[in-house]
Amino acid sequence: MNIGEMLYKIFISNGAFFTILKGLWMTAQISILSVLLGTIIGGLICLLRTRKSIALRTIAAAYIAFLRGTPVLMLLLLLYYGVFAHAGLPSVAVASFTFALNLSAHVAELLRTSISATEKGQVEAARTLGFSRWQAFRLVTLPQMLSIAKPVYQSLVVNLFQWTSVVGYVTITDLTRVINNIASRTMQPFITITVGMFIYLGLSYAVYGIFALSELKKKEEA
């Protein structure tokens, strides 16, 4: 049996391809929800991290330190089997919230360091010209901050797609769990897992492609 026949037998003839698509859609749902929520929470934590209040800065710093230093799988198990065990929440919601928390800590620190790296003289010049603090931030600091943060942010998004491969531990049938089930059923782990790795690789480069297209569009508009 050649490789083409083997792939057909494993992924097409028994309908495994459609199961993979369902697992891929589950992975995409969790990832997208986590990115959106995690980015919003990260922005809010960054805001607290840059306040004048020592108490707020300390709380935000502790939040970032705890979540950045905690393995995401352990956090997922804690929230699913511990904190929300009797809350009746869907496992997808708990998983999305878990990854959002983890991502938010990285985003918050990324935004804080990006703000610190912006050109302060331009902000002072804008204030001298009569810009309000918000206008100076929106027109001067924000564009610089986003430009500095973008390369690292896109890597965080790609990493999050990869982190979701552990959601099978909380009974979610995602892409990784589907691939593992197919490998067990067909007794062809090498081929099946290799295909799964290439799917994740495709997802990663799709994300990089989206960021690259947005950058290209931005240059064309400029």
Side-chain angles (χ1 to χ4, degrees):
M1 183 182 297
N2 60 40
I3 186 65
E5 293 174 338
M6 182 71 73
L7 291 174
Y8 181 84
K9 181 179 180 181
I10 295 173
F11 298 106
I12 305 299
S13 63
N14 59 5
F17 177 74
F18 297 102
T19 307
I20 290 174
L21 288 180
K22 291 180 181 179
L24 179 59
W25 173 236
M26 179 60 68
T27 294
Q29 285 185 78
I30 295 173
S31 300
I32 293 171
L33 288 172
S34 301
V35 168
L36 294 176
L37 182 59
T39 301
I40 293 172
I41 297 175
L44 295 175
I45 296 299
C46 175
L47 184 64
L48 296 179
R49 188 75 171 84
T50 56
R51 295 298 88 187
K52 293 182 178 180
S53 170
I54 296 177
L56 291 178
R57 292 204 309 270
T58 301
I59 292 172
Y63 175 95
I64 293 171
F66 176 77
L67 289 174
R68 290 181 73 194
T70 302
V72 67
L73 175 57
M74 297 299 293
L75 181 63
L76 176 63
L77 295 176
L78 173 64
L79 294 181
Y80 185 78
Y81 292 109
V83 177
F84 298 117
H86 304 292
L89 292 176
S91 54
V92 173
V94 177
S96 299
F97 182 63
T98 300
F99 293 116
L101 288 179
N102 185 275
L103 179 67
S104 69
H106 293 277
V107 169
E109 188 63 13
L110 172 61
L111 294 178
R112 186 189 69 82
T113 55
S114 298
I115 291 174
S116 300
T118 57
E119 179 56 54
K120 301 300 188 297
Q122 295 181 18
V123 176
E124 294 174 359
R127 294 301 303 277
T128 302
L129 292 173
F131 284 64
S132 66
R133 179 172 296 181
W134 165 245
Q135 289 175 322
F137 174 80
R138 181 171 60 87
L139 299 174
V140 179
T141 303
L142 184 60
Q144 295 183 62
M145 179 189 74
L146 294 179
S147 178
I148 294 170
K150 186 176 180 180
V152 178
Y153 179 74
Q154 68 181 12
S155 295
L156 290 176
V157 174
V158 169
N159 288 340
L160 187 141
F161 269 95
Q162 297 168 352
W163 295 337
T164 62
S165 61
V166 302
V167 297
Y169 282 92
V170 293
T171 71
I172 297 175
T173 307
D174 70 319
L175 177 58
T176 296
R177 188 165 186 177
V178 167
I179 291 294
N180 186 57
N181 290 343
I182 295 173
S184 299
R185 185 174 66 250
T186 62
M187 302 299 291
Q188 294 291 342
F190 180 79
I191 294 176
T192 309
I193 294 173
T194 299
V195 169
M197 290 176 65
F198 275 105
I199 294 174
Y200 274 104
L201 185 65
L203 285 174
S204 299
Y205 279 96
V207 172
Y208 285 127
I210 291 172
F211 277 95
L213 287 175
S214 67
E215 185 66 25
L216 182 62
K217 184 178 180 180
K218 181 179 178 181
K219 290 180 179 179
E220 290 176 350
E221 292 176 349

